[in-house]
Amino acid sequence: MVQFTVHDENTAPEEARPHLEAGRARMGFVTSLNGVMAESPQLLAGYNALAEQFTKSSLPAKAKQVVLITTSVLNGCEYCVAAHSTVALKAGVDEEVVRALRAGKPVADEALEAVRKLTERVVADRGWVDEQEVEAFLAAGHTRRDVLDVILGVGMKTLSNYTNHIAHTPLDPAWQGQEWQRA
């Protein structure tokens, strides 16, 4: 197995160091994911830029967590499911919703379920989502902008999910209470 270094601000390439420092300021620690991504300063910068834009997107905070967890479950990313489950719970997403998302099951909240279903279709169908699925999402009260912001979230998570698959990123202690294993 190819070993990837989990960098910190002292071992990372110079170009990556400001991004790691910003991550530490934001999260309180340098995540293993950011540490691995630091090997490619451009990947780390791109991922962090997408993450920043996703936080500014039109989706409500809970819906953003639905996109991130759903994408990570479908991509089988153990690291990201644990991380985003932890973040979602801290952000006030109901435990029942987080459990359902982790199991790939529907959620009771209609608006969040519409987000889960559209995200599932975007990931599973590689963006070739049936027009009726998009219309159902819109009928649930979402907007065309929301459709595109779901795609933004899926793209951001795909970068981290694939990085974690290849690098076998170790789980940070902060996420260990929400460990998850793909089926």
Side-chain angles (χ1 to χ4, degrees):
M1 175 169 76
V2 175
Q3 296 292 316
F4 284 81
T5 301
V6 179
H7 290 283
D8 62 23
E9 300 96 332
N10 299 311
T11 64
E14 190 66 38
E15 265 184 284
R17 291 177 185 181
H19 300 288
L20 292 178
E21 290 165 4
R24 181 181 296 281
R26 187 175 59 253
M27 301 293 295
F29 65 100
V30 173
T31 65
S32 296
L33 171 63
N34 277 196
V36 168
M37 285 182 162
E39 189 73 27
S40 168
Q42 288 69 36
L43 174 61
L44 179 57
Y47 176 76
N48 286 341
L50 288 176
E52 180 182 343
Q53 292 307 307
F54 188 59
T55 63
K56 296 176 184 178
S57 74
S58 63
L59 295 169
K62 291 179 182 180
K64 288 175 183 138
Q65 294 304 318
V66 170
V67 172
L68 301 176
I69 295 171
T70 301
T71 302
S72 298
V73 166
L74 289 167
N75 284 332
C77 185
E78 295 173 357
Y79 180 97
C80 286
V81 173
H84 289 293
S85 295
T86 303
V87 172
L89 290 168
K90 286 183 180 177
V93 177
D94 293 336
E95 242 180 89
E96 188 176 305
V97 170
V98 173
R99 258 194 312 274
L101 294 172
R102 289 165 60 98
K105 305 278 188 204
V107 298
D109 181 291
E110 185 180 314
L112 293 180
E113 176 60 10
V115 172
R116 187 197 69 79
K117 285 171 78 174
L118 181 65
T119 302
E120 182 178 78
R121 296 293 16 114
V122 169
V123 174
D125 299 336
R126 297 183 181 103
W128 293 103
V129 178
D130 185 80
E131 189 68 28
Q132 294 161 333
E133 296 287 341
V134 176
E135 289 172 4
F137 180 77
L138 296 172
H142 298 288
T143 67
R144 290 185 305 275
R145 178 179 173 179
D146 293 340
V147 171
L148 299 175
D149 286 341
V150 166
I151 294 167
L152 172 62
V154 169
M156 179 193 80
K157 271 299 94 187
T158 301
L159 287 175
S160 62
N161 294 166
Y162 289 8
T163 297
N164 292 325
H165 295 339
I166 291 171
H168 306 281
T169 307
L171 193 60
D172 295 294
W175 319 137
Q176 287 178 354
Q178 289 297 318
E179 271 187 282
W180 178 86
Q181 292 184 335
R182 63 188 174 106

